[in-house]
């Protein structure tokens, strides 16, 4: 008799063990990706060995990501990064190095570039000791030594490796004949009369933050480190040339001396703060303001030498990125500066990867402030990534559907089509510049609120000093990028670059007037701005302010708020309707004339003088009384040159008006060229 199947066992198959591994099941454990919290700024700090960087990241509220995560908002590396990595970054990301900055951070490159600028502007670059690069300039150095011997003079020279760091390989010599001719070395004149403090030689570590190279923006941290030698200073002679603890101020050298003092108080020890040093200068009747001014000028002039190299390399890494857009790079630099007995600063070297080690409390206090204030100035926001993705999507749709793109001018086009094309190009250029100006205003307002212990040293507020720096910048482009200097010079001299928001809006409005004339539309009446002191004008201004308030948005607020609310405010301005029916016609006229919305930071409405009831002449034939506005002193010469565009055209017939349009557009073309 056949046996019945047992309970729980399926006949014709073996029992199935749920824990048994199936033959097709992978034995590799799948890595579960943790979902990032929404609204959190992420930071990748895998490339740094300094704990203070991680502590500041935590203090800022950033979330540290895994080492392999390349999508973080912030990427921090101790060493310089490859240009390929900067190419791959998204617009919302930030990395702490610029491409091309090695042109001033390597000792041999710094000497070579400074020598070129000294030849062009010798009176402006007197803060660099005389330098020779071996082996290329070995013969020039030997000739200089021979000239000294003829004059029965003897100087001391300091010899450094071309790409050395931390004081390795540095020596002092007085006889240049013994130097090897084929080694890669830097030879400098030794500053024999330094400013001494308590009998010791010292140097200053100044921290500089560069947030952008297009345009250039430089901030100086008003604190730093005073690094002292550990043996009393005696001018160099044959007997003490080898006493490096006396002649060198590097911390990495002097910390090995048994006389190195690690004191926690700010006025004692071999390492002190610049804040204490400025108080020391003030107590000894020295000019502290001139001290900081000289330091700032040295830093700016040095970075002007680097700007052509950095800007060219950055644009090669970020092609198609419009000028003035948010920089994906920033850099904290360490300037090593020596003061002579007259308190004149001398540039020793620049570190693009300054040490953020915190061996002492003074290191922690100073370097924490440097990093914390720098990250606050960068204005990294949680919405950056979302806005960047939305912008990429919008640009892709524009390319796909050809929206808002200017059609190419076909060969054999009529004069009318050429005029329209020139006007369209002009309007697009003005709109782009207007957007850049508003973004720049928003950034500057954020920087002014979050500068902390930093001070903006470029661009300076002093217009005379700014003009001096811009002239040096033009010389630097001509010296280092002679083949591309013309294009950069045109960019620097672009009249739109110096215009304010109000000036650009004026030009845009004039473009709209001429476009209406070309299209044969009835010209809407536009008159001069009324004088607010007159009773009639004050009433008009109140009405205009009421009517135009619905279509304006606040660009003077914080950058994060204005970016997130911009779309909402624009929609709000289009949807709201004035409730006062008595003024509806007037409001409608104002809204038509102001097709470009004006921000609150530029609260200027253009009034319209409607013709009187008794005057039935056409608008073009009516006489317009010109009321001149006091122009701002900051308007550039290019605006004065284009001020004729803003004047009303004289009454004329249609034939004359066409001629005037052609003449006006030719003027526009000249300005664009």
């Amino acid at each position: 008799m056949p046996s019945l199947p047992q309970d729980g066992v399926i006949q014709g198959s073996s029992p199935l063990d749920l824990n048994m591994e199936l033959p097709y099941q992978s034995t590799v454990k799948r890595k579960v990706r943790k979902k990032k919290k929404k609204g959190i700024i992420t930071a990748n700090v895998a490339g740094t060995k300094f704990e203070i960087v991680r502590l500041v990241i935590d203090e800022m509220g950033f979330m540290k990501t895994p080492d392999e995560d390349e999508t973080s908002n912030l990427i921090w590396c101790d060493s310089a990064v490859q240009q390929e990595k900067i190419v791959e970054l998204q617009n919302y990301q930030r990395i702490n190095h610029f491409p091309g900055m090695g042109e001033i951070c390597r000792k041999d490159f710094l000497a070579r570039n400074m020598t070129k600028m000294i030849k062009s502007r010798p009176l402006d670059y007197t803060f660099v000791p005389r330098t020779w690069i071996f082996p290329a300039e070995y013969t020039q150095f030997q000739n200089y030594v021979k000239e000294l011997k003829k004059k029965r003079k003897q100087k001391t020279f300091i010899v450094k490796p071309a790409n050395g760091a931390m004081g390795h390989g540095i020596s002092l010599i007085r006889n240049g004949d013994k130097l090897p001719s084929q080694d890669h070395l830097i030879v400098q004149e030794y500053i024999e009369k330094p400013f001494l403090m308590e009998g010791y030689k010292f140097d200053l570590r100044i921290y500089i933050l560069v947030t952008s190279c297009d345009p250039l923006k430089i901030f100086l941290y008003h604190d730093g480190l005073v690094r002292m030698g550990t043996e009393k200073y005696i001018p160099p002679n044959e007997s003490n040339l080898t006493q490096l603890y006396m002649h060198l101020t590097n911390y990495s050298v002097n910390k090995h001396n048994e006389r190195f003092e690690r004191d926690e108080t700010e006025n004692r020890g071999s390492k002190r703060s610049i804040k204490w040093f400025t108080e020391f200068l003030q107590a000894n009747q020295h000019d502290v303001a001139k001290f900081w001014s000289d330091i700032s000028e040295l830093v700016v002039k040095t970075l002007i030498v680097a700007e052509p190299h950095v800007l060219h390399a950055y644009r090669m890494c970020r092609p198609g990125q419009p000028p003035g857009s948010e920089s994906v790079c920033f850099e904290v630099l360490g300037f090593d500066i020596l003061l002579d007995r007259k308190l004149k600063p001398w540039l020793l070297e620049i570190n693009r990867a300054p040490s953020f080690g915190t061996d002492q409390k003074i290191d922690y206090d100073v370097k924490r402030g440097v990093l914390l204030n720098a990250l606050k100035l960068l204005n990294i926001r949680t919405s950056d990534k979302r806005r960047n993705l939305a912008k990429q999507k919008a640009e892709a749709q524009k390319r796909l559907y050809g929206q808002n793109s200017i059609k190419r001018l076909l060969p054999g086009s009529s004069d009318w089509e050429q005029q329209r094309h020139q006007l369209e190009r002009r309007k697009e250029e003005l709109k782009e510049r207007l957007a850049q100006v508003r973004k720049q205003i928003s950034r500057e307002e954020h920087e002014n609120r979050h500068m902390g212990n930093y001070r903006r040293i470029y661009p300076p507020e002093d217009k005379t000093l700014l003009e001096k720096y811009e002239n040096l910048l033009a010389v630097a482009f001509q010296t280092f990028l002679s083949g591309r200097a013309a294009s950069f010079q045109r960019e620097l001299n672009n009249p739109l670059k110096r215009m304010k928001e109000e000036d650009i809006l004026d030009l845009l409005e004039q473009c709209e007037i001429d476009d209406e004339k070309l299209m044969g539309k009835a010209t809407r009446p536009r008159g001069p701005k009324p004088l607010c002191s007159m009773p009639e004008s004050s009433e008009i201004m109140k009405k205009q302010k009421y009517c135009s308030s619905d279509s304006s948005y606040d660009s003077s607020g914080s950058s994060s708020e204005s970016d997130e609310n911009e779309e909402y405010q624009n929609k709000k301005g289009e949807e709201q309707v004035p409730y006062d029916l008595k003024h509806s016609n007037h409001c409608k006229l104002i809204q038509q004339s102001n097709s470009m919305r004006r921000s609150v930071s530029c609260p200027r409405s253009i009034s319209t003088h409607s013709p009187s009831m008794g005057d039935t002449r056409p608008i073009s034939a009516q006489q317009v009384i010109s009321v001149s506005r006091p122009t701002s002193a900051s308007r550039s010469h290019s605006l004065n040159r284009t001020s004729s565009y803003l004047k009303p055209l004289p009454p004329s017939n249609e034939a004359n008006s066409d001629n005037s349009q052609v003449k006006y557009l030719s003027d526009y073309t000249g300005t664009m060229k």
Side-chain angles (χ1 to χ4, degrees):
M1 184 175 179
S3 61
L4 295 174
Q6 298 178 2
D7 293 340
V9 178
I10 302 175
Q11 190 175 7
S13 63
S14 60
L16 180 63
D17 186 2
L18 295 179
N19 296 323
M20 183 180 67
E21 186 177 309
L22 298 177
Y24 57 81
Q25 186 175 353
S26 175
T27 58
V28 180
K29 293 183 179 180
R30 296 185 64 183
K31 190 173 181 179
V32 180
R33 290 187 62 183
K34 295 181 180 179
K35 291 186 178 180
K36 297 177 184 176
K37 296 180 181 179
K38 198 171 183 180
I40 296 294
I41 298 173
T42 56
N44 188 330
V45 291
T48 181
K49 63 181 180 180
F50 300 113
E51 190 62 28
I52 187 68
V53 177
R54 294 180 173 83
L55 292 175
V56 170
I57 291 296
D58 292 336
E59 189 172 349
M60 288 290 295
F62 298 173
M63 184 181 75
K64 293 191 287 290
T65 59
D67 297 354
E68 65 276 5
D69 189 356
E70 298 293 337
T71 64
S72 302
N73 296 81
L74 174 66
I75 300 174
W76 191 281
C77 301
D78 291 339
S79 58
V81 296
Q82 297 294 327
Q83 294 190 5
E84 290 77 10
K85 190 166 187 176
I86 298 175
V87 173
E88 296 169 356
L89 292 177
Q90 297 294 324
N91 290 335
Y92 68 89
Q93 294 182 284
R94 301 287 181 274
I95 194 166
N96 66 318
H97 289 291
F98 276 100
M101 195 63 80
E103 291 291 331
I104 61 170
C105 293
R106 271 187 55 141
K107 293 181 178 67
D108 51 349
F109 292 174
L110 174 64
R112 181 190 64 195
N113 292 323
M114 282 296 182
T115 301
K116 291 181 179 180
M117 282 300 288
I118 289 171
K119 290 179 180 178
S120 301
R121 301 296 289 265
L123 298 179
D124 290 305
Y125 286 84
T126 59
F127 53 83
V128 182
R130 191 165 185 175
T131 309
W132 294 266
I133 306 173
F134 280 29
E137 297 176 353
Y138 177 81
T139 305
Q140 292 92 315
F141 173 73
Q142 294 298 336
N143 293 335
Y144 180 72
V145 172
K146 290 177 182 178
E147 290 293 327
L148 291 176
K149 289 181 179 179
K150 289 180 182 179
K151 298 176 182 178
R152 296 183 178 180
K153 292 182 179 179
Q154 192 173 22
K155 289 190 175 182
T156 305
F157 301 95
I158 184 167
V159 183
K160 309 174 184 178
N163 194 25
M166 301 175 67
H168 296 311
I170 298 179
S171 61
L172 270 66
I173 62 166
R174 291 175 72 86
N175 184 5
D177 298 333
K178 297 180 180 179
L179 282 176
S181 60
Q182 297 302 319
D183 290 357
H184 292 273
L185 301 172
I186 297 297
V187 182
Q188 282 184 328
E189 285 188 352
Y190 184 77
I191 300 172
E192 298 185 4
K193 297 179 180 179
F195 187 87
L196 301 180
M197 194 162 53
E198 300 174 8
Y200 294 96
K201 183 182 175 182
F202 67 93
D203 73 350
L204 306 176
R205 166 58 62 88
I206 304 290
Y207 292 100
I208 301 297
L209 172 65
V210 182
T211 58
S212 171
C213 68
D214 191 10
L216 182 61
K217 278 196 174 183
I218 309 170
F219 298 85
L220 181 147
Y221 192 72
H222 264 230
D223 203 355
L225 297 174
V226 180
R227 306 176 303 180
M228 304 173 65
T230 49
E231 291 185 12
K232 295 279 186 177
Y233 179 78
I234 300 174
N237 53 54
E238 296 294 342
S239 62
N240 66 6
L241 289 179
T242 58
Q243 297 182 21
L244 298 183
Y245 296 139
M246 177 191 298
H247 297 292
L248 301 186
T249 55
N250 305 63
Y251 167 72
S252 55
V253 173
N254 283 279
K255 69 179 181 180
H256 299 293
N257 190 1
E258 59 183 8
R259 296 183 181 178
F260 185 86
E261 297 181 19
R262 298 178 181 273
D263 203 302
E264 296 300 327
T265 57
E266 63 177 9
N267 60 344
R268 296 180 60 85
S270 298
K271 189 185 289 187
R272 307 178 189 182
S273 69
I274 291 180
K275 179 183 176 183
W276 171 86
F277 178 67
T278 54
E279 294 172 356
F280 168 82
L281 291 178
Q282 197 167 9
N284 288 273
Q285 308 302 318
H286 294 290
D287 192 346
V288 176
K290 186 179 184 302
F291 163 77
W292 280 118
S293 176
D294 292 344
I295 294 290
S296 301
E297 190 170 339
L298 180 150
V299 170
V300 172
K301 287 180 178 179
T302 303
L303 286 169
I304 282 175
V305 173
E307 172 66 2
H309 306 284
V310 174
L311 181 60
H312 176 63
Y314 182 80
R315 288 188 175 179
M316 292 291 289
C317 292
R318 312 292 297 175
Q321 190 164 336
S325 56
E326 200 81 38
S327 174
V328 299
C329 297
F330 70 97
E331 194 140 16
V332 177
L333 300 170
F335 275 65
D336 291 344
I337 296 173
L338 181 72
L339 300 177
D340 64 15
R341 63 177 180 177
K342 296 181 180 179
L343 280 181
K344 177 186 175 181
W346 293 84
L347 178 65
L348 299 181
E349 64 182 23
I350 305 166
N351 298 273
R352 71 181 311 179
S355 171
F356 285 105
T358 53
D359 297 341
Q360 300 175 233
K361 181 179 182 299
I362 190 171
D363 288 313
Y364 178 85
D365 293 339
V366 172
K367 295 172 183 179
R368 173 185 169 276
V370 169
L371 294 171
L372 190 64
N373 287 290
L375 293 181
K376 288 180 180 178
L377 263 175
L378 291 179
N379 193 22
I380 303 175
R381 294 156 296 191
T382 57
S383 58
D384 286 345
K385 186 173 183 179
R386 174 177 50 80
R387 286 202 311 272
N388 178 66
L389 295 174
K391 185 177 179 180
Q392 287 181 346
K393 184 177 180 180
E395 289 176 352
Q397 289 179 346
K398 285 182 181 180
R399 289 193 300 267
L400 181 62
Y401 299 109
Q403 297 174 350
N404 297 333
S405 59
I406 302 176
K407 296 181 180 179
R408 290 185 177 182
L409 197 63
L410 299 176
S413 301
S414 63
D415 293 342
W416 182 87
E417 291 174 336
Q418 292 178 9
Q419 294 169 21
R420 282 297 313 280
H421 183 73
Q422 291 170 3
L423 268 177
E424 290 296 326
R425 285 180 57 192
R426 181 65 171 172
K427 284 198 288 187
E428 287 297 320
E429 181 185 6
L430 290 170
K431 288 177 182 178
E432 288 178 5
R433 183 56 191 162
L434 181 63
Q436 292 173 11
V437 167
R438 287 176 171 171
K439 286 181 181 179
Q440 188 68 23
I441 291 172
S442 178
R443 288 194 201 113
E444 289 180 358
E445 288 172 350
H446 172 84
E447 290 167 357
N448 293 336
R449 291 195 305 270
H450 300 87
M451 210 170 291
N453 212 15
Y454 280 100
R455 299 293 179 269
R456 186 189 295 110
I457 59 175
Y458 189 89
E461 296 180 359
D462 187 351
K463 299 301 179 184
T464 304
L465 189 58
L466 177 61
E467 185 177 355
K468 175 184 175 181
Y469 287 156
E470 287 183 343
N471 290 335
L472 287 176
L473 201 55
V475 172
F477 277 114
Q478 188 63 42
T479 302
F480 300 110
L481 293 176
S482 56
R484 305 175 186 87
S487 61
F488 284 116
Q489 191 63 39
R490 284 196 300 270
E491 189 176 317
L492 288 173
N493 295 335
N494 186 359
L496 292 179
K497 191 170 184 179
R498 297 181 181 273
M499 286 187 181
K500 294 185 177 180
E501 183 180 10
E502 183 180 8
D503 304 334
I504 299 173
L505 288 168
D506 286 340
L507 293 180
L508 267 172
E509 187 174 346
Q510 187 63 38
C511 285
E512 293 176 1
I513 293 173
D514 294 305
D515 193 21
E516 291 170 0
K517 290 180 180 179
L518 281 175
M519 296 299 292
K521 296 179 181 178
T523 307
R524 292 191 293 269
R526 289 176 174 85
K529 186 177 179 180
L531 298 175
C532 297
S533 60
M534 300 178 67
E536 298 86 352
S537 301
S538 61
E539 292 297 325
I540 294 174
M541 290 295 292
K542 289 179 181 178
K543 296 175 184 178
Q544 290 179 4
K545 183 177 180 182
Y546 169 74
C547 297
S548 61
S549 62
D550 291 332
S551 60
S552 63
Y553 62 92
D554 185 4
S555 66
S556 62
S558 64
S559 56
S560 59
E561 292 175 355
S562 62
D563 287 337
E564 293 177 0
N565 296 333
E566 182 176 353
E567 184 180 355
Y568 171 74
Q569 291 289 341
N570 290 342
K571 290 181 180 179
K572 182 181 177 182
E574 294 171 0
E575 293 173 0
Q576 286 188 357
V577 179
Y579 295 105
D580 193 349
L581 298 178
K582 182 171 66 174
H583 301 141
S584 60
N585 293 333
H586 182 76
C587 295
K588 184 177 180 181
L589 186 60
I590 295 298
Q591 289 176 351
Q592 289 175 351
S593 64
N594 293 333
S595 57
M596 287 298 298
R597 300 186 186 88
R598 300 186 183 277
S599 66
V600 175
S601 62
C602 180
R604 185 183 60 80
S605 302
I606 298 178
S607 68
T608 56
H609 288 195
S610 58
S612 60
M613 296 298 295
D615 194 351
T616 58
R617 291 179 297 168
I619 294 171
S620 61
Q622 295 176 13
Q623 185 179 5
V624 180
I625 301 174
S626 176
V627 179
S628 60
R629 282 203 319 256
T631 58
S632 173
S634 62
R635 290 202 181 190
S636 62
H637 175 69
S638 60
L639 181 62
N640 297 331
R641 189 175 57 196
T642 58
S643 60
S644 59
Y645 304 158
L646 306 179
K647 296 178 181 178
L649 295 172
S652 60
N653 54 26
E654 292 182 0
N656 291 336
S657 64
D658 291 339
N659 293 333
S660 65
Q661 293 167 14
V662 173
K663 180 179 182 302
Y664 171 74
L665 285 166
S666 65
D667 292 340
Y668 257 139
T669 309
T671 305
M672 291 172 63
K673 291 180 180 178

